[in-house]
């Protein structure tokens, strides 16, 4: 019901608002609407430092917080954001029927590692979760990883009760004792780990072939209309990764301000992710082609789990990689 209400609200807002893709005298978009999440990667640094506001002075930069990639997909369908952050599983769904969202992937915010995990209250193995209630945000990378973790632990989805909760609601349900376990990401993950036991992380699952990542998605219409603005956005994201590598203290302070964490904890959470700069993003295993294979593999897995009606052709995912846009931003 909550998801349906969110979808209805987004569609209403899109219908009532004027399109953001209007142009200033300088040829820049009049507004750039960004959907972000509270994940300790370079996007929070760009937001905190107001680099986009400086680089695009004629453009209004609007940041809207989302709790999961599923809600970012809803906003994309509604046309209420231009660029957003969504996990690889939501992007797989977004590029598949029935959504078939017209967006591209120009950037990998991070390859997910220990910052997403399955935490239990009393169970010490995945197998011990049989018959228990587990929370995760549906249509997220955490949901995908939970299904993979259950399969790896010898359990079917029907062996447990999976409930759809966003991260803040998961933390509240955990505090009330309503759930036995949850697959979720930081910063809520860190709160659960204070009293629970980590059974498996997304880093563990990646080693078993179930790789997940946080991806940028940009509306194809926006990317085609404003290639220079997209390139500017990409350059700022690269700048953030380089800040993490060159001045970890400053990067951690920026992320900490956005997550309301001290710098030491922010630094620890940043280290749980794999961040890639612009040159590395273009490598064969990433936007050079490997990411498309990963998304297709995720679609096959989700189809096997009856979470997709059909598996799109590999070409669908290859065409969704904004390879030329990324290369153009770092051609100099």
């Amino acid at each position: 019901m909550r998801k349906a209400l969110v979808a209805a609200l987004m569609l209403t807002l899109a219908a009532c608002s004027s399109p953001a893709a209007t142009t200033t005298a300088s040829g820049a978009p009049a507004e750039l609407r960004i959907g972000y999440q509270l994940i300790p990667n370079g996007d929070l640094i760009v937001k905190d430092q107001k680099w986009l506001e400086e680089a695009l002075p004629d453009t209004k930069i609007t940041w809207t917080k989302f709790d999961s990639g599923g809600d970012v997909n809803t906003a994309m369908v509604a046309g209420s954001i231009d660029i957003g952050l969504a996990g690889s599983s939501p992007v797989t769904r977004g590029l598949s029927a029935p959504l078939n969202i017209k967006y591209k992937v120009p950037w990998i915010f991070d390859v997910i590692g220990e910052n997403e995990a399955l935490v239990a209250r009393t169970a010490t193995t995945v197998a011990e979760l049989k018959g228990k209630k587990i929370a995760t945000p549906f249509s997220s990378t955490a949901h995908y990883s939970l299904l993979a973790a259950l399969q790896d632990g010898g359990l079917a989805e029907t062996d447990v009760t999976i409930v759809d909760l966003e991260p803040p609601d998961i933390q509240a349900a955990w505090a009330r004792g309503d759930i036995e376990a949850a697959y979720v990401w930081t910063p809520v993950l860190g709160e659960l780990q204070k009293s629970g036991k980590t059974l498996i992380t997304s880093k563990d699952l990646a080693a078993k072939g179930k790789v997940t990542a946080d991806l940028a998605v940009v509306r194809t219409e926006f990317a085609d209309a404003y290639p220079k603005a997209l390139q500017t956005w990409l350059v700022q994201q690269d700048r953030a990764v380089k800040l993490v590598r060159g001045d970890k203290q400053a990067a951690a302070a920026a992320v900490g301000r956005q997550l309301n964490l001290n710098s030491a904890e922010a630094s620890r959470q940043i280290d749980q992710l794999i961040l890639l700069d612009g040159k590395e993003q273009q490598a064969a295993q990433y936007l050079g082609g490997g990411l498309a294979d990963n998304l297709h593999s995720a679609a096959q897995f989700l189809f096997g789990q009856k979470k997709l009606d059909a598996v799109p052709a590999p070409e669908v995912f290859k065409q969704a990689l904004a390879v030329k846009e990324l290369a153009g931003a770092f051609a100099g």
Side-chain angles (χ1 to χ4, degrees), residues 98-121:
L99 292 178
N100 295 319
I101 302 173
K102 303 301 182 184
Y103 60 27
K104 298 181 179 181
V105 179
W107 187 256
I108 300 172
F109 285 114
D110 57 78
V111 177
I112 298 171
E114 295 175 336
N115 68 301
E116 281 192 16
L118 176 60
V119 179
R121 188 181 303 278

Side-chain angles (χ1 to χ4, degrees), residues 110-169:
D110 57 78
V111 177
I112 298 171
E114 295 175 336
N115 68 301
E116 281 192 16
L118 176 60
V119 179
R121 188 181 303 278
T122 59
T124 58
T125 66
V126 173
E128 290 178 16
L129 292 175
K130 186 173 183 178
K132 304 296 185 181
K133 185 181 293 186
I134 308 171
T136 196
F138 279 13
S139 302
S140 67
T141 52
H143 189 194
Y144 168 86
S145 295
L146 172 60
L147 297 177
L150 292 174
Q151 184 182 70
D152 183 69
L155 296 180
E157 183 178 357
T158 53
D159 288 328
V160 299
T161 299
I162 303 178
V163 294
D164 178 18
L165 295 176
E166 299 293 354
D169 301 318

Side-chain angles (χ1 to χ4, degrees), residues 186-201:
T186 53
V188 170
L189 174 62
E191 293 301 312
L192 272 55
Q193 288 173 325
K194 292 177 181 178
S195 56
K197 176 179 175 57
T198 301
L199 302 184
I200 193 168
T201 71

Side-chain angles (χ1 to χ4, degrees), residues 198-214:
T198 301
L199 302 184
I200 193 168
T201 71
S202 292
K203 180 180 180 180
D204 299 327
L205 289 169
K208 299 173 183 288
K210 296 295 187 292
V211 179
T212 51
D214 289 314

Side-chain angles (χ1 to χ4, degrees), residues 6-247:
V6 171
L9 176 60
M10 288 297 185
L11 289 169
T12 300
L13 289 174
C16 296
S17 61
S18 59
T22 54
T23 306
T24 66
S26 64
E31 183 179 8
L32 172 53
R33 304 165 301 172
I34 301 173
Y36 75 101
Q37 294 191 51
L38 295 179
I39 297 172
N41 56 34
D43 204 31
L44 290 187
I45 296 174
V46 173
K47 178 178 182 293
D48 182 81
Q49 298 296 296
K50 299 186 182 301
W51 287 340
L52 277 173
E53 288 81 352
E54 294 173 3
L56 295 169
D58 296 329
T59 300
K60 177 183 177 183
I61 309 298
T62 301
W63 295 84
T64 302
K65 183 174 74 68
F66 289 86
D67 289 326
S68 70
D71 287 345
V72 169
N73 274 346
T74 299
M76 279 288 179
V77 170
S80 57
I81 58 174
D82 302 306
I83 297 176
L85 183 157
S88 47
S89 181
V91 172
T92 297
R93 290 172 177 270
L95 292 170
S96 305
L99 292 178
N100 295 319
I101 302 173
K102 303 301 182 184
Y103 60 27
K104 298 181 179 181
V105 179
W107 187 256
I108 300 172
F109 285 114
D110 57 78
V111 177
I112 298 171
E114 295 175 336
N115 68 301
E116 281 192 16
L118 176 60
V119 179
R121 188 181 303 278
T122 59
T124 58
T125 66
V126 173
E128 290 178 16
L129 292 175
K130 186 173 183 178
K132 304 296 185 181
K133 185 181 293 186
I134 308 171
T136 196
F138 279 13
S139 302
S140 67
T141 52
H143 189 194
Y144 168 86
S145 295
L146 172 60
L147 297 177
L150 292 174
Q151 184 182 70
D152 183 69
L155 296 180
E157 183 178 357
T158 53
D159 288 328
V160 299
T161 299
I162 303 178
V163 294
D164 178 18
L165 295 176
E166 299 293 354
D169 301 318
I170 287 176
Q171 186 172 343
W174 180 274
R176 292 192 303 267
D178 292 347
I179 55 176
E180 162 60 24
Y183 209 119
V184 70
W185 52 87
T186 53
V188 170
L189 174 62
E191 293 301 312
L192 272 55
Q193 288 173 325
K194 292 177 181 178
S195 56
K197 176 179 175 57
T198 301
L199 302 184
I200 193 168
T201 71
S202 292
K203 180 180 180 180
D204 299 327
L205 289 169
K208 299 173 183 288
K210 296 295 187 292
V211 179
T212 51
D214 289 314
L215 309 176
V217 286
V218 57
R219 287 191 305 113
T220 303
E221 181 183 6
F222 183 90
D224 292 344
Y226 302 106
K228 290 185 178 180
L230 178 57
Q231 287 183 4
T232 298
W233 182 90
L234 288 164
V235 168
Q236 304 314 311
Q237 293 294 332
D238 179 71
R239 183 180 176 187
V241 174
K242 287 181 167 56
L243 183 68
V244 171
R245 296 176 179 180
D247 191 345

